[in-house]
Amino acid sequence: MATNTDPAGRWSLVVPLKPLAYAKSRLRDALGDALRPRLALAFAEDTVAAALSCSDVRDVVVVTDDAVAADRLAALGARVVPDFPAAGLNAALAYGAGLARAVRPSAPVAALNADLPALRPSELSRVLEFSSGFPRTFLSDAAGIGTTFLSAAPGVELRPAFGGPSRTRHLASGAREVPPEGLDSVRRDVDTGDDLLVALALGVGPRTGELRDAVRLRGVPRPAAGPTRCGPPGR
């Protein structure tokens, strides 16, 4: 179990996940359909395990309608709920945040992407520490266009605006941007074959690492063996 049982852990995180049959569709061209759902699940497992290993995280709520993913992520210690709104990513995040606050209304809450297989608890802790000082914050993705993390202090509405150029929308909403330096693992979401190569070079979690040898990216040179996290990264 990766769950952090330390009662001092303060944050509630919300992680959304599409049904695996539809997740990571942009990897189809690079990987084909056989490996894509397996990688999507591995990404989510490594993301949730790393988040639950972070000393600043108390609980993780996963919003998904996928039965296989629900069982696997619940086994890691996440609270898994169905996507009751069924109205897209941002509605799922708002719903998950509401459920988290129903249990722990005085805790800050944050949305976190499910495709961060290289996530390191120590870097996530730095993001959460910075975010503790502001009503709302966000962290841009590695491309500087999207968002991988959005937070809201207790009593503050999350107001997620993920999808496409969400960095601009979150800035316009008044959220404070987390300085991106030294946070590569929290910013490296994986949508394409090139993204996956970068994540592998950073060092992925064990579930994604188990699939390394199966990765044959079409049109992309085969990556040399790189680091794989064999356990929870250092805090």
Side-chain angles (χ1 to χ4, degrees):
M1 296 287 284
T3 307
N4 172 30
T5 57
D6 180 359
R10 299 185 303 111
W11 284 81
S12 294
L13 301 188
V14 181
V15 177
L17 181 62
K18 287 182 180 179
L20 298 177
Y22 308 106
K24 299 289 100 187
S25 59
R26 290 172 60 191
L27 280 174
R28 183 178 289 113
D29 290 341
L31 295 171
D33 268 334
L35 185 59
R36 177 185 54 78
R38 294 172 61 197
L39 272 173
L41 177 57
F43 294 167
E45 289 180 289
D46 285 334
T47 299
V48 169
L52 286 167
S53 296
C54 177
S55 59
D56 295 296
V57 173
R58 184 69 177 89
D59 57 330
V60 173
V61 176
V62 175
V63 183
T64 186
D65 283 334
D66 192 281
V68 172
D71 287 345
R72 296 278 286 271
L73 296 172
L76 293 175
R79 176 187 176 194
V80 183
V81 298
D83 183 3
F84 182 76
L89 172 60
N90 292 308
L93 287 171
Y95 175 65
L99 292 177
R101 283 179 161 168
V103 176
R104 301 178 61 235
S106 62
V109 66
L112 185 70
N113 284 10
D115 57 351
L116 303 171
L119 181 65
R120 284 163 168 71
S122 58
E123 292 185 14
L124 177 59
S125 183
R126 288 167 52 197
V127 174
L128 297 175
E129 181 179 1
F130 178 90
S131 299
S132 296
F134 302 93
R136 291 173 67 244
T137 71
F138 75 96
L139 180 67
S140 65
D141 63 11
I145 297 172
T147 305
T148 60
F149 169 94
L150 174 71
S151 76
V156 178
E157 188 179 358
L158 186 62
R159 296 168 60 194
F162 284 78
S166 58
R167 176 180 180 270
T168 299
R169 291 194 296 273
H170 286 134
L171 272 175
S173 75
R176 179 70 175 262
E177 185 167 13
V178 179
E181 292 77 14
L183 300 175
D184 292 349
S185 78
V186 196
R187 302 180 68 205
R188 174 39 65 198
D189 54 345
V190 176
D191 290 316
T192 67
D194 287 341
D195 295 340
L196 180 54
L197 288 177
V198 176
L200 290 171
L202 282 174
V204 294
R207 290 93 179 168
T208 305
E210 287 173 0
L211 298 176
R212 176 192 295 276
D213 290 341
V215 172
R216 297 292 187 272
L217 297 171
R218 298 173 183 172
V220 179
R222 179 76 172 92
T228 298
R229 296 203 320 259
C230 296
R235 295 178 179 173

